[in-house]
Amino acid sequence: MDIISIIKKVKKREGSLDIQEAFNIYNLLRTRYVSTQTIQLFKNFVHDVSWDIILDKFQINFEKQIDDLEELGEKFRIIMPNRPPVDVKFATRINDVTDDYIYKKIYHDLIAQVLSLSYAVRSTSTNDKLRSIIIQEFIIQFEDLDTFYKFGKLTGWEETYPTYKTSIPQLEEQLSTSESFHIWDHITMRYEQTELLGIFASFAHDTEFKVILKQRLHSYNKQLNKLEGLALKLNVPLPNRPAQPVTSPIDPETITDKFMYRIVLSRELQSLDAHVRAIIESIRNEPLRKLWKEFFNEELDYYDKYLKYGKMKGWTRIVPIYGEPVT
């Protein structure tokens, strides 16, 4: 096959959906339908005016995302889930349905949506435009969740979480046990990743790939400096650092760039999952949640670029295309 044919084939594939991406559109739309209907239902029982305004903001975001997903479903001829009613209204109010209960119910819905979007991002690899749309929705979802957390703390509806006990008094917001774990967990994860990237950078054959690995290694080390300083400040124990790299007797020809690329890609997905969990479970300490969001946004951007680079090199998995007959 000549180079022109290869380029045409790649461009054709970029305008297509794979089989998992078709399901992602369907599943995200189904989730948004339920979320919108849930908010419409509970708005009938809301007592706090400020809470009503927050829910209106969420509903506007959800309806915008529904429009985008329906447009994609129509474009790619995907069978869509049943649409809910235009609105849900009650003639009477039920005092037993409190604002506190509504807050907790919608909280669980928001977390479920975060997890759905997280899986959709990591499993949308063929269509770059679709992945970009899902990434933007993911970022908006975390903005909504941040607004939700702050409002819940202000109203006193948010639960009190177990405090991380330390002999050193904390002048700022105290850590919860989960927040202290995520600091330790991120440092451990980054130690493992920097050790792996250091080894792979010495084995890489492609000059461009070697530079990419070294740049990512530099980025991780910058994050480690922040995290180590934070751990020392908040009295969180530090794990052991990895050993200094040594010259390996292994023949580098036995390890291909494609093999190393895919391992690094899987570690990128591990990082995204860790950031998502950290943001969800960092409720007490606002500056810490802000740091996890910065790491998350940086990771999302890098993952998207790294995936595109692997596709250009022919190192990514080829997922079957939606709508193509199987031969």
Side-chain angles (χ1 to χ4, degrees):
M1 184 181 294
D2 60 24
I3 188 66
I4 301 298
S5 300
I6 294 173
I7 291 172
K8 286 182 178 178
K9 187 175 181 180
V10 170
K11 286 185 175 180
K12 180 182 177 183
R13 188 171 184 88
E14 286 177 350
S16 305
L17 284 185
D18 66 44
I19 50 178
Q20 180 59 39
E21 290 169 341
F23 175 77
N24 287 342
I25 292 173
Y26 176 93
N27 192 49
L28 289 174
L29 185 55
R30 179 176 58 181
T31 303
R32 281 292 177 252
Y33 281 159
V34 174
S35 301
T36 303
Q37 197 169 10
T38 300
I39 286 180
Q40 289 172 340
L41 171 66
F42 283 128
K43 275 172 62 65
N44 291 280
F45 309 120
V46 166
H47 305 86
D48 189 306
V49 176
S50 301
W51 188 209
D52 202 40
I53 294 171
I54 296 289
L55 293 180
D56 280 339
K57 177 180 178 293
F58 288 174
Q59 187 170 344
I60 290 170
N61 288 342
F62 291 168
E63 288 174 353
K64 170 65 169 60
Q65 292 166 7
I66 284 173
D67 289 342
D68 292 341
L69 291 167
E70 286 179 339
E71 185 178 335
L72 287 167
E74 184 177 352
K75 176 181 177 181
F76 292 104
R77 300 179 181 178
I78 301 169
I79 295 175
M80 293 287 96
N82 293 327
R83 301 173 70 189
V86 174
D87 202 352
V88 180
K89 293 292 184 182
F90 279 82
T92 59
R93 287 180 175 269
I94 303 175
N95 291 328
D96 290 340
V97 182
T98 64
D99 288 346
D100 177 79
Y101 170 78
I102 295 171
Y103 174 85
K104 291 179 172 61
K105 181 66 178 72
I106 293 178
Y107 166 79
H108 288 291
D109 281 358
L110 288 176
I111 297 303
Q113 291 157 25
V114 164
L115 298 178
S116 293
L117 284 164
S118 178
Y119 182 75
V121 167
R122 62 183 296 146
S123 62
T124 300
S125 58
T126 300
N127 192 298
D128 294 337
K129 185 176 180 181
L130 174 61
R131 188 173 61 258
S132 177
I133 292 171
I134 296 174
I135 286 174
Q136 289 306 310
E137 290 190 4
F138 207 176
I139 293 171
I140 292 171
Q141 183 75 18
F142 270 127
E143 290 174 356
D144 286 346
L145 192 61
D146 199 52
T147 301
F148 192 79
Y149 279 156
K150 290 176 180 177
F151 186 74
K153 290 171 70 174
L154 184 66
T155 55
W157 298 335
E158 189 53 64
E159 300 286 354
T160 301
Y161 294 86
T163 304
Y164 175 62
K165 305 296 183 181
T166 171
S167 58
I168 301 175
Q170 301 297 324
L171 300 178
E172 301 175 4
E173 282 190 282
Q174 288 185 311
L175 290 179
S176 67
T177 51
S178 63
E179 289 167 341
S180 58
F181 166 76
H182 286 299
I183 293 173
W184 178 89
D185 185 54
H186 270 70
I187 293 172
T188 301
M189 178 179 69
R190 287 299 189 233
Y191 280 162
E192 293 171 352
Q193 290 171 329
T194 52
E195 186 175 19
L196 185 70
L197 287 174
I199 294 170
F200 283 175
S202 65
F203 284 169
H205 308 89
D206 187 291
T207 305
E208 188 179 39
F209 184 49
K210 186 187 290 285
V211 170
I212 288 172
L213 293 177
K214 288 182 177 179
Q215 287 176 339
R216 196 57 177 155
L217 181 59
H218 176 71
S219 173
Y220 281 171
N221 280 323
K222 284 176 63 178
Q223 289 185 5
L224 270 172
N225 288 335
K226 282 186 182 180
L227 290 167
E228 288 169 339
L230 188 63
L232 292 171
K233 177 183 174 183
L234 298 174
N235 202 26
V236 176
L238 287 167
N240 292 329
R241 290 180 294 175
Q244 286 289 345
V246 295
T247 304
S248 173
I250 299 175
D251 182 0
E253 291 186 1
T254 61
I255 303 179
T256 64
D257 288 345
K258 179 180 179 179
F259 172 77
M260 290 185 284
Y261 168 85
R262 290 188 175 182
I263 290 179
V264 174
L265 185 66
S266 68
R267 290 306 182 99
E268 282 291 327
L269 293 172
Q270 176 195 4
S271 296
L272 281 174
D273 288 344
H275 299 330
V276 168
R277 291 195 306 272
I279 294 170
I280 290 173
E281 296 177 6
S282 295
I283 298 175
R284 177 178 298 202
N285 193 291
E286 299 282 349
L288 183 59
R289 189 168 70 253
K290 182 179 178 182
L291 178 65
W292 298 141
K293 286 173 66 179
E294 289 174 3
F295 284 4
F296 169 76
N297 289 335
E298 180 185 331
E299 203 85 44
L300 263 182
D301 182 62
Y302 182 82
Y303 167 72
D304 188 53
K305 292 175 181 176
Y306 187 71
L307 182 60
K308 289 176 181 176
Y309 172 75
K311 289 169 68 175
M312 180 190 70
K313 302 289 284 188
W315 294 343
T316 55
R317 298 181 306 162
I318 306 298
V319 185
I321 292 297
Y322 172 73
E324 287 188 352
V326 179
T327 57

